[in-house]
Amino acid sequence: MDILNFISWVKSGNYRTTLPTDVQSLLIIGAKDPSRDDDYLSLAINTAPLQAVYDSANVTQITSITTAVTVNAHNGTITTVSSILPFGNSTSFTVNNSKVTTASKILLTVNHPGAGIPVLITEALTNGSFDIRIYNVSAATAFNNTLKISYLILD
């Protein structure tokens, strides 16, 4: 079924009631169905939940390890300034992000080529921002390099 037939199919109401027609983005797919004359059943998927995968941005922190950053995308990488964080200590900074709500789940990973062992957690989750707390859990080594923190916001 081509796109024009698909549009006619949706407009005529020839779809399953679970198909979301009130959303901005639909992904059209065809499934093999030998019971149909054209051998294909048209389906559509609401792509809004997939937005976190393709909505990406990066930002580099300036000034200090506690300087806030702004990055308005569902995923990306935050590069911190080079920092010397003594072992056993922690610090935090704010991430301003319009995609974040109080119901968001935020996944964090870190790439750190230098000394020290960084552990990250999210704090102070509000509509529009969250804090990242960085712990150095190394037994005896301070940080001596930048952190590349990758984040993914799930709604």
Side-chain angles (χ1 to χ4, degrees):
M1 179 181 284
D2 64 26
I3 187 66
L4 294 177
N5 285 333
F6 176 79
I7 292 168
S8 296
W9 173 74
V10 169
K11 286 184 176 180
S12 68
N14 293 327
Y15 55 84
R16 296 175 193 214
T17 57
T18 57
L19 175 69
T21 58
D22 60 339
V23 296
Q24 294 288 331
S25 302
L26 292 175
L27 177 63
I28 304 162
I29 58 173
K32 193 79 167 156
D33 184 356
S35 68
R36 293 184 45 88
D37 291 340
D38 62 1
D39 290 332
Y40 284 93
L41 175 64
S42 295
L43 303 169
I45 298 172
N46 175 0
T47 60
L50 301 173
Q51 187 173 7
V53 176
Y54 61 82
D55 177 26
S56 182
N58 301 319
V59 67
T60 300
Q61 192 179 45
I62 57 172
T63 312
S64 79
I65 193 73
T66 59
T67 302
V69 297
T70 299
V71 58
N72 293 314
H74 280 90
N75 79 73
T77 301
I78 301 164
T79 303
T80 67
V81 298
S82 185
S83 175
I84 298 174
L85 182 64
F87 69 91
N89 288 347
S90 72
T91 190
S92 67
F93 66 93
T94 300
V95 178
N96 296 303
N97 187 312
S98 62
K99 308 298 182 185
V100 174
T101 69
T102 56
S104 296
K105 278 65 171 179
I106 301 169
L107 305 177
L108 301 172
T109 62
V110 63
N111 180 357
H112 177 59
I117 302 172
V119 172
L120 309 174
I121 65 168
T122 57
E123 297 180 322
L125 183 65
T126 64
N127 288 327
S129 73
F130 63 96
D131 288 356
I132 296 177
R133 174 144 315 264
I134 306 165
Y135 290 93
N136 181 357
V137 297
S138 172
T141 309
F143 289 162
N144 65 355
N145 210 331
T146 62
L147 300 176
K148 289 193 180 285
I149 301 170
S150 295
Y151 70 93
L152 175 62
I153 300 167
L154 302 173
D155 296 323

